[in-house]
Structures are given as C-alpha cells and as structure tokens.
Amino acid sequence: RSERRFDVNKLPADMLRVYGALEEKYGEEYALLFVFTMRTAIEMHRAWHMTLLTSKILQRIKDTYGLRMTWNLGVIRLIFRVDDGGFELHRKVPYDYDSEFQDLHMKIASALCDGHITIHEALNFQTEVKDHVHTARCGVFLRDFPGRLIVYPGLAATCAVIFFSGSWRDAGIAALCGLATGLLEWFLCWIGGEAKVLIDIGCGTI
C-alpha cells in the first residue's frame, strides 16, 4: 500500500544530523525510530509530568526495535544518548503540558510497537497532533492565547469557591488574578526568547 513518507528535512538541525549518521550506518527505519523515540519523549515529558509512563513507553520502543539509545528524563533537561554515546542531544523540558495530547502520543507509540502502523505513519501522526489537525477549532482556541484568557479567570474563580470554600467576592478577586496572570504570560510569550523564563516568577507572584 502507498503511504505518505515523513519529511526528515523539517527536523531540527541537530536531530537531522544524527538521523543522517544513523541512516548511513543502520538504515532508514532505524534512524526514523530514533527520531520517533526522541519526539515521543519531548511531547510526553512536559512540565515534569508523566515521567514514569514516558520512561516505560520509551523502553518498550527500545526493546521492540533494538535501539542503541539511552535517555535521562530530568527536571530541567532531557538528555538523549544514541549509538552507545556516539551522539548526545539535549532538550529543555517544556513548562506547559496538555494531557489529551500526551495521551495521543502514547497511543501512537503503542500502535507502532504493536505493528498497527508504520514508522512513517507514526511520525506523520505525531506532526498532525502537534499541529492540531484532529482537534476541534474551539479546543485549539482555548489551548492558546487569546483563548486562554477565558480559561484562567474561570479556573481561578471556580477553584477559589470549590476547593477553598470562598465566597463569590473571593471568586471575583481570584478571577481578576487569573486574568492578570493570563495577560502577563501572553505578554512574555509575545516577547519570546529569554523573557519566557520570567513566566514562572511573574505568574507565581500574582
């Protein structure tokens, strides 16, 4: 059957360099499996969430296909060592996470290990999940700014009432704090670069 091939030219430069070396030494499928495993770890181990489950699914991929690859799922950094330490790649652990997307990445990895999809299909599915191809527009809107400005006040207000037995006045104040937090985060994300480091400090202060 015909299938869409994964475009490796869209990979980050360091990952593409390692892919090229592995493809020359072990073949295309092995090199693509390295890419898939690394991308799976990056998307599942976000905000130090699901560490054990991420490690378990990575080990399953490694055992199924005999990859010569190790990893360190740290609090701040992800470290990947390939080909008995011949290559080492680092990634910063992302701050935010979405449990729905993490679950989808886990299902893609399980389907690959079970032989239900090919490596090209698995990598293309990963890209589609990241690009929100199969997510409703309302879901995409609420997952990023300015849609998050609706979520933060509502979340703060309901938590104040439900978990802390607050009054409606407390809910209003919490909603304002949630709105301020959202505006600050949006502004820092808009600046980008090193300014995003201030998100934790600024939002935590509010």
Side-chain angles (χ1 to χ4, degrees), residues 21-168:
L22 294 177
E23 182 190 27
E24 183 177 351
K25 191 172 182 180
Y26 300 108
E28 181 191 46
E29 183 177 10
Y30 186 95
L32 289 175
L33 284 165
F34 148 72
V35 173
F36 177 82
T37 305
M38 185 169 171
R39 282 166 41 126
T40 299
I42 293 170
E43 294 304 326
M44 287 187 63
H45 189 258
R46 303 176 69 94
W48 326 301
H49 185 57
M50 293 176 67
T51 304
L52 295 178
L53 187 57
T54 302
S55 183
K56 182 178 179 180
I57 197 68
L58 295 183
Q59 189 64 47
R60 185 181 176 194
I61 299 171
K62 177 181 177 179
D63 293 341
T64 302
Y65 295 99
L67 297 181
R68 300 169 68 180
M69 179 178 183
T70 60
W71 49 84
N72 181 16
L73 306 179
V75 175
I76 299 176
R77 286 191 175 277
L78 299 173
I79 302 174
F80 304 92
R81 297 181 181 88
V82 191
D83 202 16
D84 296 329
F87 301 96
E88 182 173 299
L89 298 180
H90 292 226
R91 288 293 186 273
K92 183 179 179 182
V93 175
Y95 172 77
D96 64 333
Y97 71 92
D98 190 309
S99 57
E100 178 185 345
F101 293 150
Q102 287 174 307
D103 182 58
L104 287 173
H105 280 284
M106 185 183 68
K107 288 179 178 178
I108 293 170
S110 296
L112 176 66
C113 290
D114 291 337
H116 298 308
I117 57 177
T118 66
I119 184 60
H120 284 280
E121 290 172 330
L123 287 163
N124 284 323
F125 284 147
Q126 281 187 332
T127 301
E128 290 173 359
V129 169
K130 192 172 182 64
D131 293 340
H132 310 305
V133 173
H134 305 293
T135 305
R137 288 188 176 183
C138 60
V140 176
F141 176 73
L142 293 174
R143 282 177 164 88
D144 203 355
F145 293 107
R148 282 190 178 185
L149 294 179
I150 299 174
V151 177
Y152 284 7
L155 184 63
T158 51
C159 284
V161 174
I162 296 174
F163 295 110
F164 299 101
S165 301
S167 64
W168 289 113

